[in-house]
Amino acid sequence: MSHTEKYETVSGKIENVVYRNENNDYTVLEIVDGEDNLITAVGVMPMSYEGENVTLRGRWTVHKEFGKQFAFDSFDKSLPDDVDGIYKYLSSGTIKGVGPVTALKIVNKFGVDTFDVIEHRPEWISDIPGITRKKAAAISESFRQQAGMRGVMMFCKDYIGVGEVAKVYKKFGAGAVGLIKDNPYILCDSEVGIPFAKADAIARSLGSDPMSSERVLSGITYVLSHNGALAGHTCLPESEVVSAAAELLELDPDKISIILNDLLDNSDLSCYKKNGINYIMTNPTAEDEDTIARGLSRIIASASHFGAGDIASLIQKVESSLDISFAPLQRAALYASLENGVMILTGGPGTGKTTVVKAMLSIFKSAGLKAVLAAPTGRAAKRMSEATGEEAKTVHRMLEMERTTDGSMRFCRNERNPLSESVVIVDEASMLDLALTAAMLRAMKRGSRLILIGDSDQLPSVGAGNVLADLINSDRIKTIRLTEIFRQSKESLIITNAHRINEGEPPIINVTDSDFFFVRRERESDIAETVATLIDERLPKTYGKYIKEKIQVITPSKKGVAGVENLNSILQAKLNPPTKFKKEKASHGIIFREGDRVMQIVNNYDIEWEKNGAVGVGLFNGDIGVIEYIDLSEEILHIRFDDRTAEYSYDMLEELELAYAITVHKSQGSEYPVVIIPMYACAPMLMARNLLYTAVTRARRMVILVGRSDIPRKMTENNRLVQRFTSLKDKICDYI
């Protein structure tokens, strides 16, 4: 491609969007200029639609295959103002519910006033045959949303892509541009997630002072939240904060220290001093840790007490009703649940945790105490319901989460409106992060009890904090660890190997007639191909075709030949190949196809779902579903998550990934009938005992390891836990 030196401007109307790369918004356009010349233009242009008026700045080039083109590096654009352009724009599919036929009807009736009518008088559109008031309102809402997103996009077009624009508009609405002008760093908000560098570039373009306290506060907050999201820290040593912020902001560390002290003096950030070291954290994080410590102290102090004779009588009664004799540690757990306001029940698979929980429920019912069962995820709550025969809710649902009028989330159950139940029992407590635990404790009334059940040897929560471990390690919370493996569980090599791994012994992999198998493969490419063949051919041949939907591949890493991304590509091609009958949609480098298994990868509190005619909201990080139907005209994917069905618009697809293979971290809280685990060398921090232990304990009926025989041993030997900086344990010791 050769360039002339002249820098020019081209104006015209978009006649055709020839090509758009959804990952980077690189676009090929056909433009009709004022003299009716058809020009091919190439460059980055998010949200480009036929009929729009554009002004492009760039250079003429000659492509060796496609000939003369205008390569633009900046642009301005506006809505069309003539009937032909308005029709092209509406019929291009940019407005949900409007195709070529509907577009023609609207434009024929309202002409150049079409956009004004859609935005301000949608009820007029319903006069057109075939357009109901509901559809007219939906068309108007879609148009207004596009207009708002257009404003954000035009303001931020040099810095963020269309997917990020959608997040900004969703969070801040029509006033987004004004808010960004006031403080560009709001773009780093956790719900928006724009990288600090991009927000900083916008701030610089607006003339922001690089030494301003607002910029330094935003930089430090980003360092803290970024480390919380990636490494689970709730705080960081002051020296690390200063060093990381200085590098991020390209400022002298001494100047950062001075401004940091001012921010602490002004209570813009919080500090906790431990062993002579200052640990810096954001104010919301500090408040959450304080809330947990205070809440635990309050519950422990206010819980009602049972006499030893009463407890013995209650336990004897439940033993008779269940026709069971509790083991000593199980009996100790039941005593602890009645003698303490807060208790933790932990232990590996097969140690009888479920039996104890069922007994607790019976005892509390006999004692006149109403209990509620909860878990951090929908799948974990469903498992809890199946195991106990009682209803279990997600913690979010228990706390009655809702979105407020300003778009933020809140829990209806809180200090002013506490939970009515006297006992809160939470399973899979290792998944509880700091914020959710704090919200739960705010909602517990005085005199109630909290029982946390979980396997403390599994991976910690995906979110910031290490709550269960901090509570146990504080030595202030009564903890019972079940260790005895019961007879029926001893027959399972899955359970035997899980305990061997946890005790530092490599799993037994040379038994061929059990529920734990090993398939030796040395090369990663062979591992990946064997995993695919097992699912597509070998296991269905032995166990029947329906086993396919019961298999989950759980792999340590996202990257690599046997990592999540490549395995998903291979497995999708094998298990759900393209056909002329299956509709598909490409987004952020992934092709989503009808029949694909997909995972929600962020918490979304707004998504509506339907279950047996009832409507609820909220899908969460780790929820897995299947794409049942793609509506190309409405631009919606219909996805079934177990017994719930939800609709995803195209701009929500960045929240989804394929889920034929998932990481161990994403598998937390779930169980699958069959688990296949690739065994290959990956990043040292992923070659860890708790990661292998967590993966193995996800399986109910069968585990198949595929790969190198030395990897399970190396992972088992590596018990070096990645440190998470938190101050929760120390605060618990301060309060209790």
Side-chain angles (χ1 to χ4, degrees), residues 292 374-377 394-396 398-399 424-438 440-441 450-453 459-469 471 668 724 728:
I292 293 170
T377 68
T394 63
V395 177
H396 293 85
M398 177 181 73
L399 299 178
V424 175
I425 303 175
V426 182
D427 198 11
E428 295 288 353
S430 63
M431 297 182 68
L432 286 172
D433 63 19
L434 197 72
L436 190 58
T437 308
M440 182 172 66
L441 283 160
L450 174 62
I451 297 170
L452 299 177
I453 302 154
L459 292 169
S461 61
V462 174
N466 200 3
V467 174
L468 185 64
L471 265 62
Q668 287 176 263
R724 288 190 170 193
L728 178 59

Side-chain angles (χ1 to χ4, degrees), residues 46-117:
M47 299 172 63
S48 49
Y49 300 104
E50 294 165 10
E52 290 181 311
N53 298 316
V54 293
T55 298
L56 312 175
R57 287 171 290 279
R59 291 178 168 83
W60 288 101
T61 66
V62 178
H63 192 282
K64 64 182 179 181
E65 183 178 350
F66 301 113
K68 190 176 182 182
Q69 297 178 336
F70 189 75
F72 63 90
D73 51 25
S74 64
F75 66 88
D76 288 306
K77 63 177 183 170
S78 61
L79 287 173
D81 50 13
D82 64 293
V83 170
D84 179 62
I86 292 171
Y87 170 72
K88 283 184 180 296
Y89 180 83
L90 287 180
S91 61
S92 67
T94 180
I95 306 300
K96 291 177 189 174
V98 180
V101 175
T102 303
L104 186 61
K105 289 179 181 179
I106 297 173
V107 173
N108 280 344
K109 186 170 181 68
F110 299 111
V112 294
D113 296 324
T114 292
F115 289 150
D116 184 63
V117 170

